[in-house]
């Protein structure tokens, strides 16, 4: 399995990369960690004429906090995120999600930006970024735009990025006071991808009731989604087991649920409710303990 | 790419007939069509302003630092690190098995991290420190991990062994206090079809113990 021939470009800055992409148009394809793209090129499912390797653009590899917002550069690997002391303290959901991705070798090379741009319907990051109400920064020669996570995933392996845009960073709010979050996943036993993956963040008010709940679900539908029915059902309620279970039963309301060899649509729908309940319970416990 | 086998998660309809691969084929067609429209816009955009060098698709000079030695090769950009080492440097300890970042037989250590060398282009590895199974012996002596593999019968056919040794070496370079669960997790990117996992775990734990001592 050998990829089709391509010309290779290794820009050193985002500006260089975006002017390259503007020129190459549809013939250009961005390479980051390569753990989705290179195997696809070997299978000839992708055959770009030009590879724009952004792996040497140092400015894309940061993880930092600015005024309560966490910004993660597109080139941060899953390992960088998993092992970040800042994130462990300020946005533990990202650490918990990173730990669940693939295996060591994948986490060492795979990047958060690459994973989001690839928009695999069973990838882990989309659930977390949706639950956090994150934003995706995209830069092109035309300028920068910020895409809310809920507008970013369009369909199976289709994101809102244009061909000349580079996903440069992800911005998410840090964990607020009286907040808790959790990511829970049923791994596909061989691939490690999510049969069902649920990310939840719960904010409690001073009385201990749910001020806001946010739930992102991956693996279930052609694209990751926010379970708005669950969120609405829990808002204002105490985070009791009964309320959480009732809310979680709406996990796949109105969703076209995937069905495949590993999990039928009915089973996935069932799993979505179970994992949503467990993720909310854990997030609520952590919020109460914070 | 997703891991161990083609999966049908990408199916769109309810009939289960559309496989992931079929879907991707369809999607790439759709993408190409969309791109024709984008091309029109690209023509109007500013001409070449990038300083970055364009290389390929033919052979280009690629310098690799493997096991402490610098090698100057001529490679097409599409050649993976694994193929460059096996075919051009005759460094065949790393095995080519699944060739899609799943089985771990090609595991090398690049800048201190275990990576799937089948999913890394050789040209991406320029300037990095690459270690393969051939680079673990020092002064003709086996490394502690290698010795522990022998002492614990951690191989049967032996084909996956170099990948496991490299994964275990990278794991132990980071930490030597490991629980069995952490060993499982650290070796979770490698597959042994003979099923020698028990010996593999023991070997990694024993090597950790010896390296602490």
């Amino acid at each position: 399995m050998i990829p089709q021939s391509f010309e290779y470009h290794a820009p050193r800055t985002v500006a260089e990369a975006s002017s390259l992409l503007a020129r190459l148009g549809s013939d250009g394809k961005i390479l980051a960690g390569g753990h989705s793209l290179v195997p696809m090129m070997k299978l000839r499912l992708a055959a770009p004429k030009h590879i724009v390797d952004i792996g040497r653009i140092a400015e894309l590899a940061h993880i930092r906090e600015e005024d309560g917002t966490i910004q993660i550069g597109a080139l941060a690997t899953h390992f960088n995120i998993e092992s970040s002391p800042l994130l462990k303290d300020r946005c533990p959901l990202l650490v918990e999600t990173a730990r669940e991705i693939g295996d060591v070798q994948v986490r060492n090379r795979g990047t958060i930006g690459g994973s989001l741009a690839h928009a695999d319907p069973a990838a882990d990051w989309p659930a977390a970024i949706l639950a956090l109400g994150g934003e995706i920064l995209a830069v092109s020669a035309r300028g920068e735009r910020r895409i809310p996570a809920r507008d970013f995933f369009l369909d199976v392996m289709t994101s809102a990025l244009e061909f000349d845009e580079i996903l440069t960073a992800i911005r998410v709010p840090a964990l607020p006071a009286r907040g808790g979050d959790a990511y829970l996943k049923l791994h596909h036993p061989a691939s490690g991808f999510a049969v069902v993956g649920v990310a939840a963040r719960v904010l409690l008010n001073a009385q201990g009731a749910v001020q806001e709940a946010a739930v992102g679900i991956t693996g279930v539908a052609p694209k990751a989604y926010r379970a708005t029915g669950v969120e609405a059902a829990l808002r204002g309620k105490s985070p009791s087991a009964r309320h959480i279970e009732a809310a979680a039963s709406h996990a796949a309301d109105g969703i076209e649920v995937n069905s495949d060899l590993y999990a039928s649509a009915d089973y996935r729908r069932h799993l979505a409710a179970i994992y949503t309940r467990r993720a909310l319970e854990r997030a609520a416990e952590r919020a109460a303990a914070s | 790419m997703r891991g161990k086998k083609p999966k049908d998660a990408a199916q769109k309809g309810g009939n289960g007939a559309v496989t992931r691969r079929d879907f991707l084929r369809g999607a790439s067609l759709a993408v190409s069509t969309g791109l024709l429209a984008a091309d029109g816009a690209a023509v109007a955009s500013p001409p070449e302003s990038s300083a970055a060098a364009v290389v390929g698709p033919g052979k280009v000079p690629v310098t690799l630092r493997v096991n402490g030695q610098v090698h100057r090769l001529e490679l097409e950009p599409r050649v993976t690190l694994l193929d460059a080492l096996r075919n051009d440097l005759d460094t065949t300890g790393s095995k080519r098995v699944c060739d899609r970042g799943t089985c771990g037989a090609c595991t090398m250590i690049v800048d201190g991290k275990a990576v799937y060398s089948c999913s890394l282009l050789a040209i991406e590895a320029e300037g990095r420190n690459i270690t393969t199974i051939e680079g673990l012996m020092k002064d003709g002596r086996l490394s502690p991990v290698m010795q522990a593999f022998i002492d614990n019968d951690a191989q049967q056919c032996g084909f996956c062994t170099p990948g496991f040794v490299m994964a275990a070496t990278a794991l132990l370079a980071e930490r030597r206090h490991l629980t069995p669960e952490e060993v499982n997790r650290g070796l979770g990117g490698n597959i042994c079809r003979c099923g020698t996992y028990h010996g593999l775990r023991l070997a990694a734990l024993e090597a950790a113990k010896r390296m602490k001592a």
Side-chain angles (χ1 to χ4, degrees):
Chain A
M1 296 194 298
I2 296 170
Q4 194 167 304
S5 293
F6 53 81
E7 285 184 20
Y8 175 86
H9 311 253
R12 298 293 173 137
T13 64
V14 171
E16 253 179 53
S18 48
S19 79
L20 260 173
L21 288 169
R23 183 165 59 81
L24 296 173
S26 60
D27 290 337
K29 181 78 185 160
I30 296 174
L31 175 70
H35 278 45
S36 298
L37 182 59
V38 173
M40 281 180 74
M41 286 165 61
K42 289 182 183 176
L43 293 167
R44 304 287 172 113
L45 297 173
K49 289 186 186 147
H50 296 266
I51 285 289
V52 179
D53 179 3
I54 61 170
R56 295 180 193 272
I57 304 181
E59 63 193 288
L60 293 181
H62 60 273
I63 299 178
R64 61 175 178 248
E65 178 175 0
E66 289 162 357
D67 305 326
T69 299
I70 304 284
Q71 180 164 323
I72 300 177
L75 281 186
T77 62
H78 312 315
F79 172 80
N80 293 149
I81 294 168
E82 176 186 9
S83 58
S84 160
L86 170 73
L87 295 180
K88 188 179 176 195
D89 182 43
R90 301 291 291 145
C91 200
L93 178 61
L94 296 177
V95 176
E96 197 160 283
T97 305
R99 283 182 59 82
E100 296 295 325
I101 296 172
D103 44 51
V104 184
Q105 289 93 328
V106 168
R107 290 194 296 277
N108 283 342
R109 282 290 302 170
T111 64
I112 187 170
S115 170
L116 289 170
H118 192 55
D120 191 301
D124 299 286
W125 286 125
I129 304 305
L130 279 165
L132 293 173
E135 281 184 324
I136 283 134
L137 270 56
V139 172
S140 68
R142 296 170 288 130
E144 179 184 281
R145 65 182 179 128
R146 295 184 173 198
I147 309 166
R150 63 170 71 210
D151 298 333
F152 185 77
F153 305 102
L154 302 183
D155 205 336
V156 181
M157 293 179 167
T158 310
S159 77
L161 289 172
E162 303 288 344
F163 292 104
D164 61 344
E165 284 182 316
I166 305 168
L167 191 165
T168 54
I170 295 93
R171 289 168 65 84
V172 295
L175 187 64
R178 292 195 294 269
D181 45 34
Y183 182 65
L184 282 182
K185 165 186 182 183
L186 179 68
H187 294 79
H188 180 274
S191 74
F193 269 79
V195 177
V196 171
V198 180
R201 175 171 275 189
V202 172
L203 302 184
L204 302 178
N205 62 23
Q207 289 72 45
V210 175
Q211 183 176 316
E212 202 65 56
V215 177
I217 300 185
T218 190
V220 170
K223 59 175 180 173
Y225 61 95
R226 276 281 288 262
T228 49
V230 176
E231 297 170 3
L234 203 55
R235 198 171 297 130
K237 304 261 175 59
S238 74
S240 65
R242 192 166 55 86
H243 287 148
I244 286 178
E245 182 164 10
S249 68
H250 299 292
D253 281 4
I255 296 297
E256 178 201 340
V257 177
N258 290 339
S259 177
D260 60 30
L261 189 59
Y262 308 107
S264 66
D266 281 349
Y267 182 48
R268 262 202 176 78
R269 192 178 289 279
H270 172 74
L271 288 173
I274 300 286
Y275 277 77
T276 299
R277 171 171 64 74
R278 292 179 186 168
L280 282 169
E281 282 173 355
R282 188 170 294 180
E285 272 167 31
R286 289 173 175 174
S290 71
Chain B
M1 184 102 232
R2 145 183 337 247
K4 315 298 182 197
K5 47 183 117 159
K7 186 176 174 184
D8 295 346
Q11 117 177 17
K12 289 192 85 183
N15 59 8
V18 184
T19 66
R20 184 180 196 82
R21 182 177 287 209
D22 289 341
F23 176 80
L24 288 167
R25 287 209 176 108
S28 63
L29 285 178
V31 164
S32 319
T33 326
L35 285 177
L36 289 176
D39 275 348
V43 172
S45 66
E48 157 115 48
S49 58
S50 165
V54 179
V55 298
K59 289 189 175 183
V60 298
V62 176
T63 303
L64 296 177
R65 196 184 309 137
V66 183
N67 300 325
Q69 281 196 306
V70 174
H71 300 271
R72 290 186 177 78
L73 303 174
E74 296 279 324
L75 300 170
E76 290 179 38
R78 61 177 168 171
V79 173
T80 62
L81 179 61
L82 175 66
D83 286 351
L85 264 58
R86 287 183 58 83
N87 300 338
D88 291 76
L89 288 180
D90 225 13
T91 311
T92 53
S94 311
K95 303 304 182 206
R96 192 190 209 242
V97 180
C98 77
D99 206 23
R100 63 181 75 175
T102 293
C103 74
C106 68
T107 301
M108 296 179 191
I109 299 179
V110 175
D111 284 350
K113 298 271 166 224
V115 303
Y116 291 137
S117 62
C118 72
S119 297
L120 185 63
L121 300 175
I123 199 167
E124 284 182 273
E126 269 203 307
R128 304 186 193 279
N129 281 312
I130 301 155
T131 307
T132 68
I133 188 84
E134 288 89 349
L136 294 189
M137 286 179 69
K138 284 214 175 77
D139 307 323
R141 294 183 54 169
L142 297 175
S143 75
V145 173
M146 290 167 140
Q147 188 61 53
F149 268 61
I150 294 171
D151 296 344
N152 289 278
D153 283 337
Q155 57 274 310
Q156 289 184 54
C157 83
F159 208 69
C160 69
T161 308
F164 268 103
V165 169
M166 296 313 288
T169 301
L171 178 67
L172 297 184
E174 269 172 31
R175 281 187 318 141
R176 288 169 194 176
H177 295 269
L178 292 167
T179 64
E181 291 70 33
E182 287 168 330
V183 169
N184 280 354
R185 201 173 136 73
L187 301 182
N190 294 64
I191 294 172
C192 169
R193 290 209 62 183
C194 305
T196 321
Y197 296 104
H198 182 65
L200 288 160
R201 285 175 201 133
L202 287 180
L205 285 167
E206 187 167 314
K209 209 180 291 173
R210 287 182 192 167
M211 288 164 76
K212 267 189 290 185

